[in-house]
Amino acid sequence: MDKPKFKVESGIQLLTRLCTKKTTVENFYPNLFQSGPKSGEVIEIFSNRSCSFLLIDMIIEAVLPVKFGGAEIGVLILNTDGHISLQALTVSLQNKLYTQHNFGLHEDDCAKVLNDMIDNIFILDVFDATQLYTSFQNLENILTKHNNISLCVIDTLTAFYWSEQSFKITKMDIYLRNLLRIVQKAVQGQEVTILYTRPEYFNSSKDLENTEACAEVPTAEKVNCRIQVLQNEDETFTANVTTSSYVTRKNFKIGLIQISWL
């Protein structure tokens, strides 16, 4: 019989859990997640191209106020590929407020809403593996200091794989799971949803990894929701979403200022 495993949390984690009530990410981005995701879950997005356009749209909806249809949560971004910038997010936020939606706000009110949303975005630019691991070690302090953060986005989790390889090569799926274990341990007890990206080729066995069953509940080194993004011949995109409870397919296209779901 396996020995029972007990979760050990630090004093900071305990105080945060007992004294802070976070805004959850449930009912967030229903185009892909239906009623989810839940706090503590892990979401994987993989594609043969950059998914920054989809991530930016998700981040915008995450920080958008509830009264405007958003989740109104804080988002922490570990930016390893340089595809996400505060400037790009700000432009997209402005388009959301001024162009895509007519919220009937005065110009000054729009400016305040925009500033409030920007204040809920925290970007860590990561340039090498050392900085990545240092960022992981600092996650607990960051999440404790900014207790409104409920979504942690890592684009891309596997960015520094090759720089860490030496004479003996670590299998890609093992490397990925080791990183995921580190991240999950760092955010333990913080009620944070993890969303990370990886290239589609990044696995040791394509037939196994991309079809691996998703976990029903948050589990160490397991993914609760897996999203494959494909580009179609007609320049539209398909998102294949797989969880333990449902499988769905959503088509969308990228316009000049927004994603349109078909």
Side-chain angles (χ1 to χ4, degrees):
M1 180 181 294
D2 294 336
K3 294 182 179 179
K5 295 181 180 180
F6 298 96
K7 291 184 178 180
V8 179
E9 57 186 347
S10 68
I12 293 177
Q13 289 175 324
L14 176 61
L15 288 173
T16 300
R17 179 169 58 83
L18 294 178
C19 301
T20 305
K21 183 174 178 59
K22 282 181 177 287
T23 302
T24 66
V25 294
E26 294 184 31
N27 301 314
F28 162 69
Y29 216 76
N31 284 314
L32 293 183
F33 301 123
Q34 296 186 1
S35 62
K38 296 180 174 60
S39 296
E41 289 190 338
V42 176
I43 303 163
E44 176 189 80
I45 300 179
F46 64 95
S47 180
N48 57 10
R49 57 163 293 167
S50 170
C51 292
S52 59
F53 53 89
L54 181 58
L55 289 178
I56 288 175
D57 200 61
M58 289 180 176
I59 293 167
I60 291 172
E61 186 161 321
V63 299
L64 194 68
V66 172
K67 62 181 179 181
F68 298 147
E72 200 168 351
I73 60 175
V75 180
L76 173 64
I77 304 164
L78 274 64
N79 185 32
T80 65
D81 274 345
H83 293 152
I84 299 177
S85 67
L86 185 59
Q87 180 180 3
L89 286 168
T90 301
V91 170
S92 296
L93 286 168
Q94 289 174 327
N95 289 333
K96 192 84 167 182
L97 284 177
Y98 299 122
T99 307
Q100 182 177 349
H101 292 289
N102 182 9
F103 295 126
L105 293 174
H106 187 272
E107 184 175 349
D108 291 340
D109 293 329
C110 279
K112 183 181 184 307
V113 172
L114 179 63
N115 288 332
D116 288 343
M117 290 191 293
I118 292 174
D119 287 342
N120 278 333
I121 298 174
F122 307 87
I123 301 178
L124 295 179
D125 289 322
V126 182
F127 299 101
D128 56 41
T130 300
Q131 290 185 3
L132 182 65
Y133 290 110
T134 301
S135 298
F136 290 161
Q137 291 174 353
N138 288 331
L139 279 178
E140 181 182 343
N141 291 330
I142 294 171
L143 296 174
T144 302
K145 182 178 180 181
H146 305 284
N147 56 30
N148 63 322
I149 296 176
S150 296
L151 178 65
C152 179
V153 177
I154 309 173
D155 182 43
T156 302
L157 183 57
T158 58
F160 306 114
Y161 170 76
W162 289 111
S163 68
E164 292 196 76
Q165 304 311 303
S166 56
F167 179 76
K168 184 177 181 180
I169 303 296
T170 303
K171 287 186 176 181
M172 290 181 174
D173 56 339
I174 294 176
Y175 176 84
L176 178 59
R177 287 171 179 167
N178 287 340
L179 285 182
L180 190 54
R181 187 191 307 119
I182 294 172
V183 176
Q184 288 177 301
K185 183 178 180 180
V187 303
Q188 178 183 335
Q190 298 280 358
E191 297 185 16
V192 172
T193 298
I194 301 169
L195 189 159
Y196 72 87
T197 65
R198 67 166 173 86
E200 185 163 351
Y201 69 80
F202 196 93
N203 50 75
S204 303
S205 174
K206 293 183 179 180
D207 293 335
L208 172 64
E209 179 70 8
N210 288 348
T211 58
E212 183 181 0
C214 294
E216 185 175 355
V217 295
T219 308
E221 306 168 36
K222 290 291 185 179
V223 173
N224 304 103
C225 177
R226 182 171 283 111
I227 303 171
Q228 180 187 34
V229 179
L230 302 171
Q231 183 170 5
N232 304 316
E233 293 182 357
D234 61 357
E235 300 301 318
T236 62
F237 294 83
T238 298
N240 295 316
V241 184
T242 303
T243 72
S244 63
S245 58
Y246 69 89
V247 175
T248 187
R249 173 177 294 181
K250 297 285 188 176
N251 294 320
F252 63 93
K253 63 180 180 180
I254 303 174
L256 293 177
I257 61 173
Q258 64 177 331
I259 286 179
S260 298
W261 295 90
L262 306 175

